[in-house]
Amino acid sequence: TQLLEQSPQFLSIQEGENLTVYCNSSSVFSSLQWYRQEPGEGPVLLVTVVTGGEVKKLKRLTFQFGDARKDSSLHITAAQPGDTGLYLCAGGDNDMRFGAGTRLTVKP
Amino acid sequence: NAGVTQTPKFQVLKTGQSMTLQCAQDMNHEYMSWYRQDPGMGLRLIHYSVGAGITDQGEVPNGYNVSRSTTEDFPLRLLSAAPSQTSVYFCASSYSELNTEAFFGQGTRLTVV
């Protein structure tokens, strides 16, 4: 079983601050995905990272895949209240597994 | 284009009752899966299917059955509901098991009393 550990579990910051959340595993993944989930909704895909060392940017969000393809990070610049949500990383092929998530709250 | 549709949105069951959670997708996706989400535990894979007629177990399959008679539908059956099955259930689909961008339904909140 490929386990994904996310940290921190909870994060509460003020609008305008920067933050980084992490997704770590002892297993190698062919790709990792990041999802964002809002209350009462299913997760929505933000990005897929495939190549070791890859960096992808989505507006104020920067995603990095570790060189060894065992870990990934999500950095948010100048966080806004609209970034509030549960951020989940996921990996695997047939049996895609999710981490427990980081619950982010951005206060105005 | 509805995407992934789950019914019902809410359900209360008594211990020992059985029921079926419905999931349908209209994107012609081969891969479908069921997850349960509990506080602090993220999403845990119950069962998945890589195509019509093919199903396999995930992390937490006990107490659940699935079948995949068509590409569009992937129902999840609770055989004899237990309070431990109180959870939010999500169905997801993706184009194939190798293209794993998953599209999720809105979830079914199940309470077993």
Side-chain angles (χ1 to χ4, degrees):
Chain A
T1 302
Q2 298 172 309
L3 296 177
L4 289 163
E5 296 185 357
Q6 292 190 243
S7 60
Q9 189 176 358
F10 299 95
L11 187 58
S12 181
I13 61 171
Q14 292 294 132
E15 182 175 2
E17 292 183 2
N18 301 333
L19 66 113
T20 303
V21 299
Y22 301 92
C23 174
N24 295 296
S25 175
S26 58
S27 301
V28 175
F29 287 91
S30 57
S31 65
L32 277 179
Q33 300 180 332
W34 285 92
Y35 290 80
R36 183 170 143 225
Q37 185 180 20
E38 300 192 26
E41 302 288 332
V44 175
L45 181 70
L46 295 173
V47 78
T48 301
V49 285
V50 179
T51 305
E54 181 178 8
V55 176
K56 281 192 173 179
K57 294 196 174 193
L58 188 66
K59 295 184 182 179
R60 293 175 294 99
L61 278 61
T62 301
F63 303 85
Q64 185 161 6
F65 200 12
D67 290 341
R69 290 185 289 128
K70 293 183 178 182
D71 55 86
S72 182
S73 63
L74 159 59
H75 181 80
I76 301 179
T77 303
Q80 299 177 0
D83 296 325
T84 293
L86 179 66
Y87 289 82
L88 297 157
C89 66
D93 295 316
N94 283 353
D95 56 346
M96 191 165 67
R97 307 297 175 98
F98 283 77
T102 293
R103 189 167 296 280
L104 173 65
T105 302
V106 182
K107 301 176 184 177
Chain B
N1 195 348
V4 179
T5 302
Q6 288 184 237
T7 56
K9 281 207 76 166
F10 301 94
Q11 183 71 50
V12 179
L13 287 179
K14 293 183 179 178
T15 297
Q17 286 185 317
S18 62
M19 80 159 294
T20 299
L21 280 62
Q22 301 292 344
C23 175
Q25 53 92 8
D26 61 1
M27 297 174 282
N28 203 30
H29 284 171
E30 289 295 321
Y31 182 90
M32 296 185 74
S33 53
W34 276 101
Y35 292 87
R36 60 177 288 174
Q37 187 172 33
D38 302 293
M41 300 190 74
L43 290 107
R44 290 184 292 169
L45 183 65
I46 304 172
H47 285 285
Y48 64 96
S49 169
V50 299
I54 306 169
T55 63
D56 209 341
Q57 297 182 349
E59 297 173 77
V60 288
N62 292 340
Y64 307 96
N65 273 358
V66 292
S67 60
R68 185 93 181 271
S69 56
T70 67
T71 299
E72 294 78 19
D73 300 298
F74 191 43
L76 178 72
R77 297 183 187 85
L78 278 70
L79 309 173
S80 177
S84 60
Q85 293 179 304
T86 294
S87 188
V88 181
Y89 291 85
F90 287 99
C91 178
S93 74
S94 60
Y95 182 71
S96 73
E97 68 271 23
L98 298 179
N99 181 346
T100 54
E101 177 180 354
F103 295 83
F104 284 82
Q106 289 201 309
T108 296
R109 185 175 292 275
L110 176 68
T111 302
V112 182
V113 297

